[in-house]
C-alpha cells in the first residue's frame, strides 16, 4: 500500500462524524452488516449523552493515508472497572480498546499500538479488547456467526480481524455466546411441568412491567441486575446516569408484555427483558431517518412485527441462584414472553444473550428449551 500512514486523535464534532462514517464504507458490500442510526452512534461518543462517561474516559483515534481515513479505534478506561476484583476480568491497571475498524493489517497494527501507547500513558498495565466502549454495549469480537445479521445491540465484524488481533500478541480470555431458538414451538414437556408447578405456587407472581411507571420499574430491574450479575466476569455496576440515557434510547422499543418481573412473597427477585429486533427495520435505512425513514420507523414502533426477539438481560437475585425456584422463575418468564412475542408481534425466532461461557446455569436453561449457539464473541487480553 502506497502513502504514509498517520494516526491522530479525534478532536471535535467533524472528526466524530468521520469516525462514525467509516464502517459505512468498509461494510458496504457485507449483506449481514446492519448500519446503525448515525445519530445514535454519535450519541454514544458524546459525554453529554452517554452516562458511561460519568465514570470513564476515552480517546478516539483515526488512521489516515494520503488524507483518506482508513481506520479508527477507541482507547478507554472505565474507572469503576479499575475497582473491581481482578479475578472478575477487570481490576487495577486494566484499560480497554474497542470500536476498531481498519482497511488492512498494517492499519490495524498501527491503531492497536497507538491505543496501547495511550493506555500506558494513563498508567495502565494490561488491556482488554475489543470492548466498545462499555462492557454493557458491544463487548467481544465476533468469531462465529458471520453468515447472518446481528440482532439489536449486537456487534458484527470482519472475519480477518481475529487473525490480526492474535498476531498482535493478544490471547483469548473470555467468550460470550448468543443462543437462538424457534419460538413458535412449545417447550419440552419437562419445562411445561415446571411452569405449571410455578403457576400453582401462591408465593410466585410473574407480572409484565408498567411502562407508565418507567422510572420506578427501571429502578427495580437495576437493583436486581446489579445484585444478580455482581459475581460475573466483566461485571461493572450500571449507574443511574447510564440507566437514564439507556432508558431514553430503549424506551421506544419497550413493551409491557415483553418485559417481566418475577415476585416471591411480593418481593421482586427476577426479571427478563426482551426487545423486538430493531435491526430489522434499520437495515434498509442506511443510518439515516431522512427523508422518509423516520415515518417508516415511527409506523413500525407503533406495533412492531418482527421475525426475531432478543433477550439481552435476565437475572435472579443471588440469594435464589442455584435454587430450583431460580430456574422455575426463568422458565415462567421465558414462556410468558414467548407467547406474547408469537401472538402479538408475529415473531418466530428468539435470541438469548450474550451468555458468558462459564455461566452454566444460564447455558443449561438455554439448552433445556432446545436453543443452540448461533454467535460467539471473544474478548482478548494483553500485558502492556
Amino acid at each position: 500500500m502506497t502513502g504514509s500512514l498517520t494516526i491522530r486523535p479525534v478532536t471535535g464534532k467533524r472528526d466524530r462524524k468521520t469516525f462514525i462514517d467509516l464502517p459505512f464504507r468498509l461494510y458496504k458490500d457485507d449483506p449481514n452488516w446492519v448500519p446503525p442510526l448515525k445519530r445514535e452512534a454519535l450519541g454514544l461518543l458524546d459525554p453529554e449523552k452517554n452516562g458511561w462517561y460519568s465514570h470513564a474516559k476515552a480517546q478516539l483515534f483515526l488512521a489516515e493515508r494520503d488524507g483518506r481515513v482508513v481506520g479508527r479505534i477507541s482507547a478507554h478506561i472505565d474507572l469503576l472497572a479499575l475497582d473491581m476484583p481482578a479475578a472478575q476480568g477487570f481490576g487495577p491497571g486494566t484499560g480497554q480498546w474497542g470500536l476498531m475498524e481498519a482497511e488492512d493489517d498494517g492499519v490495524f497494527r498501527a491503531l492497536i499500538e497507538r491505543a496501547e501507547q495511550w493506555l500506558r500513558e494513563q498508567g495502565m498495565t494490561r488491556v482488554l479488547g475489543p470492548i466498545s466502549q462499555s462492557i454493557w454495549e458491544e463487548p467481544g469480537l465476533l468469531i462465529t456467526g458471520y453468515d447472518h445479521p446481528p440482532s439489536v445491540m449486537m456487534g458484527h465484524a470482519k472475519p480477518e480481524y481475529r487473525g490480526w488481533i492474535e498476531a498482535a500478541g493478544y490471547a483469548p480470555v473470555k467468550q460470550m455466546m448468543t443462543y437462538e431458538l424457534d419460538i413458535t414451538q412449545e417447550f419440552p414437556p419437562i419445562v411445561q411441568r415446571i411452569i405449571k408447578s410455578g403457576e400453582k405456587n401462591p408465593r410466585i407472581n410473574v407480572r409484565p412491567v408498567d411502562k407508565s411507571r418507567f422510572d420506578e420499574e427501571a429502578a427495580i430491574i437495576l437493583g436486581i441486575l446489579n445484585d444478580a450479575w455482581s459475581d460475573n466476569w466483566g461485571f461493572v455496576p450500571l449507574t443511574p446516569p447510564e440507566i437514564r440515557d439507556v432508558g431514553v434510547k430503549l424506551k421506544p422499543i419497550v413493551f409491557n408484555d415483553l418485559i417481566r418481573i418475577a415476585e416471591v412473597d411480593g418481593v421482586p427477585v427476577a426479571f427478563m427483558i426482551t426487545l423486538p429486533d430493531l435491526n430489522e427495520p434499520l437495515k434498509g435505512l442506511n443510518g439515516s431517518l431522512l427523508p422518509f425513514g423516520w415515518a417508516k420507523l415511527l409506523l413500525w414502533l407503533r406495533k412492531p412485527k418482527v421475525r426475531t426477539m432478543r433477550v439481552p438481560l435476565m437475572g435472579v437475585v443471588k440469594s435464589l441462584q442455584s435454587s430450583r425456584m431460580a430456574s422455575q422463575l426463568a422458565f415462567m418468564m421465558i414462556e410468558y414472553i414467548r407467547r406474547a412475542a408469537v401472538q402479538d408481534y408475529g415473531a418466530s425466532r428468539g435470541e438469548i444473550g450474550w451468555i458468558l461461557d462459564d455461566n452454566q446455569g444460564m447455558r443449561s436453561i438455554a439448552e433445556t428449551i432446545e436453543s443452540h449457539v448461533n454467535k460467539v464473541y471473544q474478548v482478548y487480553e494483553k500485558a502492556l
Side-chain angles (χ1 to χ4, degrees):
M1 185 72 68
T2 61
S4 60
L5 182 69
T6 60
I7 308 295
R8 65 175 181 84
V10 166
T11 59
K13 292 182 179 179
R14 177 176 290 185
D15 275 354
R16 288 199 294 270
K17 183 179 182 300
T18 300
F19 191 94
I20 294 301
D21 285 345
L22 177 63
F24 285 78
R25 176 166 58 83
L26 297 184
Y27 289 94
K28 65 181 178 65
D29 296 323
D30 186 338
N32 294 311
W33 182 67
V34 180
L37 287 177
K38 291 184 179 182
R39 182 177 178 180
E40 295 293 336
L42 283 167
L44 290 175
L45 304 181
D46 188 342
E48 295 183 1
K49 297 180 180 179
N50 185 349
W52 173 76
Y53 281 94
S54 65
H55 56 83
K57 56 183 177 179
Q59 178 60 63
L60 307 177
F61 296 96
L62 289 171
E64 294 178 333
R65 182 183 282 124
D66 295 332
R68 181 171 179 266
V69 174
V70 292
R72 72 177 202 182
I73 200 168
S74 167
H76 45 272
I77 299 168
D78 189 322
L79 302 179
L80 291 180
L82 299 180
D83 293 330
M84 300 306 295
Q88 284 184 237
F90 289 120
T94 300
Q96 303 100 49
W97 58 260
L99 299 174
M100 191 282 298
E101 302 288 355
E103 281 194 359
D104 55 58
D105 188 14
V107 172
F108 171 83
R109 288 296 292 268
L111 285 166
I112 286 288
E113 289 171 3
R114 185 64 185 91
E116 292 172 351
Q117 178 187 343
W118 184 86
L119 291 169
R120 290 190 193 97
E121 292 167 353
Q122 304 299 313
M124 299 297 102
T125 58
R126 175 174 173 260
V127 59
L128 293 174
I131 297 175
S132 305
Q133 289 170 297
S134 164
I135 190 69
W136 296 101
E137 291 172 10
E138 293 183 6
L141 176 78
L142 180 68
I143 63 169
T144 299
Y146 303 105
D147 59 342
H148 56 285
S151 59
V152 58
M153 300 175 65
M154 296 300 291
H156 191 62
K158 293 179 176 292
E160 54 264 38
Y161 286 177
R162 181 179 187 178
W164 296 354
I165 290 173
E166 293 175 1
Y170 284 80
V173 65
K174 182 58 61 177
Q175 287 188 346
M176 291 152 288
M177 307 167 182
T178 61
Y179 285 75
E180 68 174 352
L181 70 157
D182 178 358
I183 60 173
T184 64
Q185 304 299 312
E186 289 192 350
F187 294 135
I190 186 173
V191 176
Q192 297 295 338
R193 289 196 294 270
I194 292 171
I195 293 168
K196 290 178 181 178
S197 173
E199 291 173 335
K200 295 176 182 178
N201 188 338
R203 300 177 61 202
I204 295 176
N205 178 44
V206 177
R207 65 173 180 84
V209 298
D210 183 350
K211 192 173 178 178
S212 69
R213 298 188 295 120
F214 188 85
D215 291 344
E216 182 181 340
E217 298 283 55
I220 291 172
I221 290 173
L222 175 62
I224 299 172
L225 174 65
N226 280 340
D227 175 73
W229 284 50
S230 60
D231 292 334
N232 286 359
W233 184 94
F235 174 77
V236 177
L238 276 170
T239 63
E242 289 173 280
I243 290 295
R244 178 198 65 215
D245 293 340
V246 170
V248 170
K249 178 181 177 180
L250 294 184
K251 194 171 183 179
I253 55 173
V254 167
F255 297 90
N256 292 347
D257 52 352
L258 296 179
I259 301 180
R260 300 280 171 153
I261 293 175
E263 301 169 339
V264 175
D265 298 328
V267 178
V269 297
F271 75 92
M272 177 175 164
I273 295 175
T274 304
L275 301 174
D277 186 12
L278 184 61
N279 278 1
E280 292 180 21
L282 287 185
K283 189 168 177 59
L285 299 183
N286 199 33
S288 175
L289 292 178
L290 298 176
F292 304 115
W294 65 271
K296 295 178 181 178
L297 188 59
L298 183 62
L299 183 63
W300 183 87
L301 288 170
R302 288 179 179 175
K303 191 64 175 180
K305 291 296 182 180
V306 293
R307 173 174 175 257
T308 297
M309 290 283 180
R310 182 190 168 210
V311 181
L313 290 173
M314 186 175 180
V316 180
V317 294
K318 283 198 293 186
S319 61
L320 287 180
Q321 289 176 6
S322 300
S323 71
R324 293 179 62 185
M325 181 172 284
S327 58
Q328 185 169 53
L329 296 176
F331 287 133
M332 292 175 73
M333 291 187 293
I334 292 171
E335 170 62 4
Y336 296 164
I337 292 175
R338 183 195 71 81
R339 294 174 190 169
V342 173
Q343 295 171 8
D344 299 333
Y345 302 87
S348 59
R349 176 180 178 271
E351 187 172 280
I352 305 172
W354 42 264
I355 298 173
L356 292 168
D357 57 5
D358 60 357
N359 188 341
Q360 296 303 323
M362 195 61 230
R363 291 187 66 181
S364 176
I365 288 172
E367 291 163 4
T368 301
I369 59 175
E370 298 183 342
S371 60
H372 63 274
V373 174
N374 69 304
K375 287 184 182 288
V376 179
Y377 295 82
Q378 190 152 270
V379 177
Y380 292 85
E381 69 174 345
K382 180 181 178 181
L384 293 176

